[in-house]
Amino acid sequence: MTMNRIKSALTALALSTGLWAAPGAQAQSLKAQQVSPHAWMVQGLSALGSPANRNFISNASFVITGEGVLVVDALGSPALAEELLAEIRKLTDQPVRWVVLTHYHADHIYGLQALKAAGATVIAHAGAREYLNSETARLRLEASRSELAPWIDASTRLVDADRWISGPLDLKAGGLTLQIRPVGPAHTPEDLVVYLPQDKLLIAGDLVFRGRVPFVGQADSRRWVQALEQLLRFDAEVIVPGHGPLSHEARADLELTRDYLVYLRERMGEAARNMEPFDEAYARTDWSRFEKLPLFGVANRMNAYNTYLLMEQESR
């Protein structure tokens, strides 16, 4: 592995564990906002995880049925998940029966143990098993215990799913149907989305970053584009993204993430095919459509470099 590739891997590790903080990122209160007749969300900061913001950098959602509550994603620390439970209890006495994980990235799972302790059954895609049992997952948690203390500490642990799925699953409860659909590998090997057709609500996880540049990391961007095309076929009017505010412009926001990924692949793919050095290709690329989006300065160069490496492999 070259030094540049090592640096890229370490950068991706730091970003995915929330080890870098955006300037001025501060803690904010966790407050549920209603997003459809049956669903609510809490919105994390558009920032990178830090002790100051408690690693509250991702979104979580919940659906209240007549037979219990389904939560989607578990936030970035046990303390945040406890606050999420408190918000749910303000709205219903129904127990939290299920937690669906859209994927196993740290900012979406470190609160899982609190929801599990509350009695929830954890549902996730079987594609996450390899990562969950990997040295990478262990090292990320170890680093987070240091860099995100006191919110991540020695008592924070990785939690297995109770139910691993590899295909579509419909949960019917209280007159509602919750459609859990695999759409990966894309952002991760284990991507799931949850669609509530009664509300025309799509909970999309990190396949959609609204109003900010996504972290592409080591993702399979070709399949991510295909997954977004699949999401565009849902009859969604409202989208809860993995990061950023609620979307009432479902198609436009899906298309923004898709178009960014397509542009990365086009520009970096051309450079890789022409064996143009990355630095030169990056410098001559017109980023004007995306450069004003939040976290562009933090994420875009790494996204471009990882896509350049991916396109090198695809062109062989």
Side-chain angles (χ1 to χ4, degrees), residues 5-170:
R5 289 172 191 252
I6 292 171
K7 287 179 179 178
S8 178
L10 290 174
T11 301
L13 173 62
L15 289 169
S16 62
T17 51
L19 301 187
W20 292 355
Q26 300 295 324
Q28 69 178 44
S29 61
L30 187 155
K31 184 172 178 58
Q33 58 175 303
Q34 190 164 8
V35 300
S36 75
H38 302 95
W40 286 256
M41 70 172 282
V42 296
Q43 180 185 330
L45 289 166
S46 288
L48 301 176
S50 71
N53 62 36
R54 303 179 296 158
N55 206 28
F56 185 26
I57 60 170
S58 63
N59 300 339
S61 310
F62 58 93
V63 179
I64 298 176
T65 80
E67 299 175 30
V69 179
L70 178 139
V71 174
V72 184
D73 288 335
L75 298 174
S77 71
L80 288 172
E82 292 286 359
E83 291 186 35
L84 177 61
L85 287 168
E87 287 294 293
I88 293 171
R89 292 180 186 121
K90 291 177 184 177
L91 296 166
T92 181
D93 293 329
Q94 294 283 347
V96 174
R97 290 188 56 193
W98 310 275
V99 179
V100 175
L101 296 176
T102 60
H103 62 299
Y104 257 87
H105 279 179
D107 55 324
H108 295 262
I109 66 165
Y110 282 168
L112 192 55
Q113 65 197 62
L115 300 175
K116 176 76 173 172
T121 295
V122 180
I123 301 170
H125 192 278
R129 278 173 161 163
E130 181 178 353
Y131 166 75
L132 189 62
N133 295 297
S134 70
E135 185 71 358
T136 300
R138 186 190 68 79
L139 289 173
R140 286 180 176 173
L141 179 55
E142 183 178 304
S144 294
R145 285 170 174 155
S146 172
E147 301 295 335
L148 294 174
W151 309 107
I152 307 298
D153 59 21
S155 67
T156 309
R157 65 184 188 278
L158 298 171
V159 178
D160 273 288
D162 299 296
R163 183 171 183 182
W164 296 103
I165 65 172
S166 56
L169 173 66
D170 286 350

Side-chain angles (χ1 to χ4, degrees), residues 265-276 284 311:
R265 290 179 57 81
E266 287 176 349
R267 298 283 74 78
M268 296 302 103
E270 179 185 6
R273 287 190 300 274
N274 294 335
M275 293 184 288
E276 181 181 3
R284 72 171 177 80
M311 299 308 292

Side-chain angles (χ1 to χ4, degrees), residues 36-38 63 171-179 195-201 235 237:
S36 75
H38 302 95
V63 179
L171 285 179
K172 298 180 183 293
L176 299 178
T177 299
L178 297 122
Q179 300 177 355
Y195 184 57
L196 183 58
Q198 293 89 342
D199 293 10
K200 294 191 174 182
L201 171 69
D235 189 23
E237 295 180 355

Side-chain angles (χ1 to χ4, degrees), residues 261-309:
L261 295 172
V262 168
Y263 191 71
L264 280 177
R265 290 179 57 81
E266 287 176 349
R267 298 283 74 78
M268 296 302 103
E270 179 185 6
R273 287 190 300 274
N274 294 335
M275 293 184 288
E276 181 181 3
F278 169 75
D279 288 340
E280 293 178 15
Y282 188 85
R284 72 171 177 80
T285 299
D286 178 6
W287 300 108
S288 57
R289 180 181 175 187
F290 308 104
E291 64 187 1
K292 293 182 180 179
L293 293 174
L295 298 184
F296 176 89
V298 174
N300 189 66
R301 188 179 182 88
M302 185 193 72
N303 288 345
Y305 182 65
N306 285 337
T307 303
Y308 179 87
L309 297 179

